[in-house]
Amino acid sequence: MSGGAEGSLAASFRRLIAATGPISLAHYMAEANARYYGSRDPFGTAGDFITAPEISQMFGELVGLWLADMWHRAGQNAGQSGPVHYVELGPGRATLARDALRAMGHAGLRPQVHLVEGSPALREIQREAVPQAHWHHDLSSLPTDGPILLVANEFLDALPVRQLVKTAQGWRERMVAVDESGGFVCIAGSTPMDAAVPEDRREAEEGTLIETCPAAAAVVQEVAGRLAAQGGAALFIDYGHAQPRTGSTLQAVRAHRKVDPFADPGEADLTTHVDFATLAPLAQAQGARWLGTTGQGPWLTALGIDARTDALSRAAPHLAGEVAAARHRLVSEEEMGDLFKVMGLAAPGWPQGAGF
Ligand code: SAH
């Protein structure tokens, strides 16, 4: 196991578990992803995975046009209070930011740029793409003086989840322990966790596993509260489900392959499905308007990805095949079109969003 090397995260987890006992899965996932993203550029064919903005410029352009359309249609209300801010959570290589800002510029909107990014390695890459940006470690330091136009693509899926399992003794948290051969294994913790299970889900058969993501809930609540107070609109785009479900969705991807999430912590991208069904009411409770949650395919189609595909193909006929393939990947049901969802939020009084 390469993760056994001195200085590896696996080695420090083993020492920690030996000293203080099993750690929560959320702790494991948070540290593994902080190490993973902090030390590399994971995107693209040479990296571990490819995201929608890296597949085609059309994705970021349509996101930018959606935000600009919201801004223009919000009209007077939007302009009343200070500068408008483009905010992106977990911008990766800032490809989406660059494409969205270019499209917004064509639509007559030049917002200030705020990127929330935890990884020093990715911040360096973002600085090349969007030199005018301001960086933030988390949402707390984002400006409060004007409306925000926010996007988060594949951000919530990287936040740590808590897994709760129903045992004969009640609900317990899934913890990470070390077995005799030094490998990481999941066990049920000893602390009763019934209070952490949503009330309507407590009565479940023994063996039932549910995931909750307190970190994603906190992000959506913070964004929704800011929309209500400052004005603006937000898009959360991620793979996930629109209805509550049971079972583990934790997965690890390395070099475009699924690998064991417990084999080499910090060396693969750990993600889970985003539970959009839970997030929408949390946003509404903060006073934001929920515009809808829909598939990425129908959303991009409603925004005109077909016309954009044709235009790009006419402008560069030698790339027509590539552009058509990218469109298919983003939109078709067998690829990203159905699994990936788009959740739209806005300030009360802001218009209904296109595509919902
Ligand atoms: N939106 C980009 C990248 C998605 S990968 C794209 O679509 O290509 C996840 C991104 O979120 C990375 O930029 C990663 O560094 C960042 N990230 C993950 N967890 C974070 C956290 N807790 N705080 C801030 N940024 C985080």
Side-chain angles (χ1 to χ4, degrees), residues 37 43 51 53 88 90-92 117-119 122 137 153-155 158-159:
Y37 284 109
F43 308 99
T51 56
E88 191 174 333
E117 176 57 68
S119 160
L122 288 174
H137 280 285
N153 186 62
E154 291 210 47
F155 173 71
L159 299 181

Side-chain angles (χ1 to χ4, degrees), residues 307-321:
R308 190 73 188 122
T309 304
D310 291 345
L312 286 177
S313 304
R314 275 198 305 276
H318 62 291
L319 295 177

Side-chain angles (χ1 to χ4, degrees), residues 13 16 22-33 160-161 173 176:
F13 276 153
L16 176 67
I23 57 173
S24 70
L25 180 68
H27 176 165
Y28 178 92
M29 188 173 170
E31 287 211 25
N33 273 350
V161 291
E173 181 158 13
V176 180

Side-chain angles (χ1 to χ4, degrees), residues 155-194:
F155 173 71
L156 298 179
D157 69 8
L159 299 181
V161 291
R162 180 181 249 178
Q163 290 188 340
L164 298 152
V165 63
K166 183 80 179 273
T167 69
Q169 289 76 43
W171 289 95
R172 295 286 187 270
E173 181 158 13
R174 261 185 124 201
M175 310 290 285
V176 180
V178 175
D179 67 14
E180 302 91 62
S181 61
F184 296 107
V185 286
C186 277
I187 59 163
S190 50
T191 311
M193 291 295 287
D194 301 69

Side-chain angles (χ1 to χ4, degrees), residues 189-210:
S190 50
T191 311
M193 291 295 287
D194 301 69
V197 177
E199 233 167 278
D200 56 338
R201 306 188 71 185
R202 277 186 207 157
E203 294 306 318
E205 271 175 49
E206 197 177 322
T208 303
L209 185 152
I210 67 164

Side-chain angles (χ1 to χ4, degrees), residues 253-268:
V253 169
R254 186 174 190 179
H256 303 273
R257 289 222 164 76
K258 284 194 186 177
V259 296
D260 176 358
F262 299 103
D264 228 346
E267 301 301 318

Side-chain angles (χ1 to χ4, degrees), residues 21-248:
I23 57 173
S24 70
L25 180 68
H27 176 165
Y28 178 92
M29 188 173 170
E31 287 211 25
N33 273 350
R35 171 75 65 110
Y36 176 75
Y37 284 109
S39 57
R40 78 198 74 217
D41 168 12
F43 308 99
T45 39
D48 291 322
F49 59 92
I50 297 192
T51 56
E54 304 293 337
I55 291 172
S56 167
Q57 68 187 74
M58 295 189 286
F59 184 82
E61 289 169 350
L62 291 171
V63 166
L65 290 175
W66 188 92
L67 294 170
D69 173 58
M70 289 298 282
W71 167 255
H72 284 305
R73 285 191 295 126
Q76 284 286 303
N77 293 344
Q80 276 168 8
S81 51
V84 59
H85 302 283
Y86 173 85
V87 178
E88 191 174 333
L89 311 181
R93 277 182 179 164
T95 306
L96 167 55
R98 209 187 47 214
D99 292 336
L101 289 165
R102 188 180 61 247
M104 290 169 132
H106 290 318
L109 175 60
R110 280 175 192 78
Q112 294 187 14
V113 181
H114 297 270
L115 304 179
V116 176
E117 176 57 68
S119 160
L122 288 174
R123 277 186 183 205
E124 281 313 307
I125 296 172
Q126 291 158 13
R127 211 180 299 280
E128 308 250 308
V130 197
Q132 76 273 34
H134 305 269
W135 278 266
H136 304 262
H137 280 285
D138 55 48
L139 285 78
S140 62
S141 56
L142 288 171
T144 53
D145 61 349
I148 53 171
L149 300 172
L150 180 145
V151 58
N153 186 62
E154 291 210 47
F155 173 71
L156 298 179
D157 69 8
L159 299 181
V161 291
R162 180 181 249 178
Q163 290 188 340
L164 298 152
V165 63
K166 183 80 179 273
T167 69
Q169 289 76 43
W171 289 95
R172 295 286 187 270
E173 181 158 13
R174 261 185 124 201
M175 310 290 285
V176 180
V178 175
D179 67 14
E180 302 91 62
S181 61
F184 296 107
V185 286
C186 277
I187 59 163
S190 50
T191 311
M193 291 295 287
D194 301 69
V197 177
E199 233 167 278
D200 56 338
R201 306 188 71 185
R202 277 186 207 157
E203 294 306 318
E205 271 175 49
E206 197 177 322
T208 303
L209 185 152
I210 67 164
E211 284 175 346
T212 66
C213 190
V219 165
V220 169
Q221 283 173 324
E222 163 96 28
V223 169
R226 281 171 173 271
L227 293 178
Q230 295 172 232
L235 292 169
F236 288 93
I237 309 169
D238 231 306
Y239 77 117
H241 41 278
Q243 301 303 323
R245 52 178 278 174
T246 59
S248 173

